Amino acid sequence: MEAMEIDAEKNLQRKQSTYLSLDETFEIQKETYRGQQYSQIYFARLHLMRTLLYSLVPHWKSHLKVCTVLGLEEEKECIIVGTLYKHMKLKPCILDEYSKERSAVPLVKPHNFLHLDDHLVLEDESGRVKLGGDMLSPSSYVTGVVVALHGKETGSGDFLVLDVLEAGLPPQIELPLQSREDKYVVFVSGLNVGSSTSNPLQFQLLVDHITGHLGDEKEQGIASQIVHVVIAGNSVEIPSGLLNGQNLASKDQSRLSEPVKELDILLSQIAAGVPLDIMPGPNDPANFSLPQQPLHRCLFPGSAAYNTFRSCTNPHCFELDNIRFLGTSGQNIDDLEKYSEAKDKLEFMERTLKWRHLAPTAPNTLGCYPFTDRDPFLIESCPHVYFVGNQDKYGTRELRGSEGQLVRLLSIPKFCETGVAVMLNMKSLECHTLSFGTQFGS
Amino acid sequence: METASSDMKNFYRQRKSNRGGITKPSSKSTSKSKKKSPKNAAAIGSDITQPRTLISHGAPDLHDDYDKHEEVLRQFDMNMAYGPCLGMTRLARWERAQRLGLNPPEEIECPLKGGKVNSDCLWDGRV
């Protein structure tokens, strides 16, 4: 029998990239709550967007003047700038709970609150005016978007809209022209460790692939080109039955912390080899309102020991080799889906970029911290990659702006349901999926 | 008939002495204590929700502490261009206006930073 040749061990070096975190604007440690209400954040948003729109109006319609809502004159064409408010018939209202008619049918809300009778209202500092005409379709807009409108006031007091100006994609810093090498970023979300539907073997397969423990040299070669891993929310699922306010028995207390411990073990395997960013999601042990603060380091005693482990805010903004990434764990797009309609999730993402606001429905229907002096969700610089986690399916598209901006839109599916993670090539910004299955087919 | 002059005191009921024991505080105090709202108080039930009139010892608060600065500061509070005034200190609102390029009046910057004027807006604690 021939002696088997043992190949000389080839050490594959993992590629590296420079990392810059831009999450400072989403942190709220320095904020103090003094009893302010949401009028402050709406004021900041309107002011910043209005300044921007005023600079765009002359290029759009140079012959028309801008006026305030209270300064509208009947039948005189002009431009008004303000925040949209969508009046929705089916939107749940806290007063419904106090309604005297107790219907037999519980006040269960449908998934989507659109109705044909919804109408839009524009509000600026002086007043509000109802919007009429066919130009603006209420189903495409949500409360909280700042736009400029060209139109005129009608006899009935409505404002007939003739044209709309949205802020459009923000300016983008051009990517360096020199040829970049193949480097990959792995995106995954919705791991839901600890839930009955998640398969620990699938996640272990993903971890093994990233760390290069799977496959032959070619596979390992591809894995060595992974420079970063981003986990976009919903990494754990704590059994909800335990969180009903009752005292926990010691047996239940360990059940409460099991999912996080399991996650920590797996994350430390990843962090040992590759830089890792973990973002909180709607089901994670973090605060509820946006911007969600980073998951605490004490939850990850094993992983936090590595300097490659970074706990990040949601939304998360960072730069890798000067390529700007911006993304959320899904709350902003899911909320848009409840209050407006589009052909797919990527179209919602496109709209948020064109409105230059990550979460226009915050604070109206999406929980948000009452900032007083700024609105951190305003997008000032266009990202190169814009991702959203915890979606139903994988989707990606390239979006081109009017000034040569190029954005890769990416919708990351829930890993526990689909077994799919996404690899993005930093050279071309193209994406492909990594699909993990544990079915042993016949 | 005997004049019961010595009994005059017993004839007319004597008033109870007001001194000693438990007495109500004199309502003639002219000093008004300005309730300084705690820095981060927002809770229901805190003094921040009680109007100042009820706190100043029963005397109706007919004269606010008015000086020339307060008048200008109140105009600053009421000016819509600088945004809502509730929930922020006047200095924070002035600084925000400065940062957003709204050019707030400069003459109130010094009194605000000096600290002798009321740091909270006109409606603070009253709405």
Side-chain angles (χ1 to χ4, degrees), chain A residues 32-37 39-41 43-44 47-48 50-51 125 371-374, chain B residues 37 39-42 80-89 96 99-100 102 120:
Chain A
T32 48
Y33 182 62
R34 297 196 80 254
Q36 68 268 26
Q37 297 189 6
S39 55
Q40 310 280 1
I41 188 175
F43 169 73
H47 181 82
L48 292 166
R50 186 172 47 196
T51 312
E125 268 147 12
F371 292 95
T372 51
D373 55 353
R374 68 185 208 272
Chain B
S37 47
K39 205 169 179 204
N40 298 327
M80 285 297 299
Y82 308 123
C85 65
L86 265 181
M88 291 179 89
T89 57
R96 174 180 75 182
R99 244 178 294 128
L100 293 179
L102 293 164
D120 295 318

Side-chain angles (χ1 to χ4, degrees), chain A residues 187-205:
Chain A
F187 290 94
V188 67
S189 79
L191 296 166
N192 283 31
V193 171
S195 89
S196 49
T197 53
S198 82
N199 186 346
L201 188 54
Q202 265 184 339
F203 187 27
Q204 188 64 60
L205 274 176

Side-chain angles (χ1 to χ4, degrees), chain A residues 115-127:
Chain A
H115 193 274
L116 289 171
D117 289 343
D118 296 339
H119 64 265
L120 290 169
V121 169
L122 190 85
E123 181 177 316
D124 72 1
E125 268 147 12
S126 62

Side-chain angles (χ1 to χ4, degrees), chain A residues 185-193 195 197-199 202-203 206 210 229-237 263 267 270 276-284 292 314 327-331 334 345 387-395 410-423 434 436:
Chain A
V185 179
V186 171
F187 290 94
V188 67
S189 79
L191 296 166
N192 283 31
V193 171
S195 89
T197 53
S198 82
N199 186 346
Q202 265 184 339
F203 187 27
L206 172 67
I210 293 172
V229 175
V230 177
I231 300 182
N234 280 359
S235 316
V236 287
E237 190 174 295
L263 177 69
L267 290 185
I270 304 179
L276 167 68
D277 283 358
I278 180 162
M279 293 162 61
N283 297 340
D284 287 325
Q292 280 185 296
N314 170 32
T328 65
S329 302
Q331 292 106 317
D334 290 343
K345 295 292 176 79
F387 62 91
V388 162
N390 294 300
Q391 299 306 303
D392 294 327
K393 49 186 186 153
Y394 162 72
L410 175 57
S411 144
I412 308 165
K414 294 182 194 142
F415 190 79
C416 66
E417 285 172 15
T418 58
V420 169
V422 183
M423 289 255 279
L434 285 175
F436 297 90

Side-chain angles (χ1 to χ4, degrees), chain B residues 13-25:
Chain B
R13 208 180 324 177
Q14 284 205 330
R15 288 221 182 99
K16 228 175 180 175
S17 165
N18 216 2
R19 322 272 154 206
I22 305 161
T23 52
K24 280 192 198 157

Side-chain angles (χ1 to χ4, degrees), chain A residues 272-341:
Chain A
V274 75
L276 167 68
D277 283 358
I278 180 162
M279 293 162 61
N283 297 340
D284 287 325
N287 60 313
F288 167 74
S289 54
L290 292 184
Q292 280 185 296
Q293 298 303 290
L295 293 163
H296 203 281
R297 286 172 60 92
C298 68
L299 292 169
F300 306 107
S303 326
Y306 293 97
N307 69 349
T308 45
F309 175 83
R310 274 181 209 95
S311 185
C312 308
T313 56
N314 170 32
H316 183 33
C317 186
F318 61 100
E319 276 185 13
L320 276 180
D321 284 349
N322 294 323
I323 299 174
R324 186 176 274 234
F325 292 74
L326 174 64
T328 65
S329 302
Q331 292 106 317
N332 57 334
I333 302 299
D334 290 343
D335 206 55
L336 280 181
E337 199 188 22
K338 281 194 220 161
Y339 297 98
S340 64
E341 65 182 4

